[in-house]
Amino acid sequence: MSVTLDIRLKRANKVYHEGEVVAGVIVLVCKETLQHHGISLSMEGLVNLQLSSKSVGVFEAFYNSVKPIQLISSNIEVAKAGKIPGGKTEIPFEFPLLAKTNKVLYETYHGVFVNIQYTLRCDMKRSLLAKDLSRNCEFIVHCQPQKAKVAPNPVTFTITPDTLQNTRKTPFLPSEECHQLCDQPATDWRGCAEGYARDATEIQNIQIGEGDVCHGLSIPIYMVFPRLFTCPTLETTNFKVEFEVNIVIVLHDDHLITENFPLKLNRV
């Protein structure tokens, strides 16, 4: 017998803050009456940490620090064992979004080495002759906006032969053909008592110029922060998530000129 199980949240954007209620409906669609042995709904928030190949073996203590960190773990019984009538059935639910004791909720972040994710899981138990059904649904957690006004801190920089480091004593030709790129990588740090392991991953790579770029021209940089791949700058006992912008100039002979600018992201 064909049965479909789904979780639908009331908020279309699936964004919630700590202390709010995550509400929605469990949707069951079947052609005829369905016998089941109970329907449950669980909410889980996990921080998954992963070591890169270059970090493995550096600190043995890191093997303990990369265990998943559980921020939320709760379960409710949606329906006791019984029957679901044929057709479409919607079962409403509400879940308070509260962290476990001595834990705080971090903002959703999908990184390569640090992943912060919140999910709902619905399980329907069935008889031995029928396969149990389950369905996962991710929702997004945002931290509360900062109350204090954050003042921008512009950084003025120039790239000239006098400001370059780690270069050979060769003439720099301003008219040389170049490609200008703007990277915005994230830096994931996983820590333990012995220190931190640092790994940078690229979020976006935006080309902002090519060829013989006009001299003395200010080149604007515009970038939309990806929804799930950025979050407010975060520092905890076990891990940190920081961001930076790299300006990379590639000359026609493959010489590289780079400038690095740390970023502090805040939700306002």
Side-chain angles (χ1 to χ4, degrees):
M1 179 174 59
S2 177
V3 185
T4 59
L5 173 65
D6 197 12
I7 303 173
R8 295 179 186 172
L9 297 174
K10 286 187 177 181
R11 293 187 185 177
N13 62 5
K14 300 183 179 181
V15 176
Y16 296 88
H17 300 87
E18 185 171 4
E20 294 184 335
V21 174
V22 180
V25 293
I26 296 170
V27 182
L28 280 161
V29 179
C30 53
K31 291 184 178 180
E32 54 190 64
T33 301
L34 172 68
Q35 182 81 32
H36 67 88
H37 295 290
I39 302 173
S40 63
L41 185 68
S42 60
M43 175 187 286
E44 189 171 53
L46 284 177
V47 180
N48 286 299
L49 306 176
Q50 182 178 334
L51 287 177
S52 67
S53 57
K54 71 177 184 179
S55 299
V56 174
V58 177
F59 302 118
E60 288 187 8
F62 274 123
Y63 288 104
N64 293 325
S65 69
V66 297
K67 292 181 179 179
I69 302 170
Q70 196 171 62
L71 306 177
I72 299 175
S73 181
S74 54
N75 185 81
I76 58 174
E77 185 181 50
V78 176
K80 296 183 181 296
K83 296 181 179 180
I84 299 292
K88 181 178 179 181
T89 301
E90 294 187 353
I91 306 174
F93 67 84
E94 290 187 349
F95 242 132
L97 185 56
L98 299 173
K100 295 179 66 176
T101 305
N102 299 324
K103 298 290 185 180
V104 296
L105 298 188
Y106 307 125
E107 188 156 318
T108 296
Y109 171 66
H110 290 190
V112 175
F113 302 109
V114 176
N115 191 74
I116 306 171
Q117 193 169 18
Y118 300 87
T119 56
L120 291 171
R121 178 186 173 95
C122 181
D123 291 291
M124 184 173 70
K125 301 294 183 181
R126 303 173 69 187
S127 65
L128 295 176
L129 299 178
K131 186 177 179 181
D132 292 347
L133 295 179
S134 65
R135 180 75 172 182
N136 291 322
C137 174
E138 181 180 5
F139 62 94
I140 314 300
V141 172
H142 281 179
C143 61
Q144 294 291 351
Q146 287 192 349
K147 294 182 180 180
K149 189 174 182 180
V150 179
N153 184 23
V155 176
T156 302
F157 72 97
T158 58
I159 298 177
T160 66
D162 295 333
T163 63
L164 299 181
Q165 299 177 358
N166 301 323
T167 59
R168 293 178 298 177
K169 297 297 182 179
T170 54
F172 176 75
L173 304 178
S175 62
E176 194 165 13
E177 181 180 355
C178 66
H179 303 280
Q180 297 195 18
L181 304 175
C182 171
D183 293 345
Q184 201 236 336
T187 303
D188 298 336
W189 303 71
R190 283 154 316 287
C192 63
E194 281 72 15
Y196 276 92
R198 180 183 189 274
D199 288 293
T201 56
E202 184 178 287
I203 295 174
Q204 286 198 55
N205 188 315
I206 304 174
Q207 182 170 336
I208 59 176
E210 183 177 358
D212 189 5
V213 179
C214 295
H215 304 166
L217 176 69
S218 296
I219 303 177
I221 303 173
Y222 294 101
M223 193 201 74
V224 177
F225 291 98
R227 182 187 187 193
L228 298 179
F229 304 109
T230 53
C231 67
T233 300
L234 179 61
E235 181 174 354
T236 74
T237 303
N238 296 95
F239 66 94
K240 296 191 291 185
V241 180
E242 298 175 329
F243 300 87
E244 59 188 20
V245 167
N246 291 331
I247 304 295
V248 182
I249 300 176
V250 185
L251 302 180
H252 80 287
D253 57 0
D254 291 333
H255 280 85
L256 294 180
I257 301 171
T258 64
E259 283 279 354
N260 176 273
F261 304 93
L263 289 181
K264 183 174 182 180
L265 302 188
N266 299 286
R267 186 166 295 283
V268 296

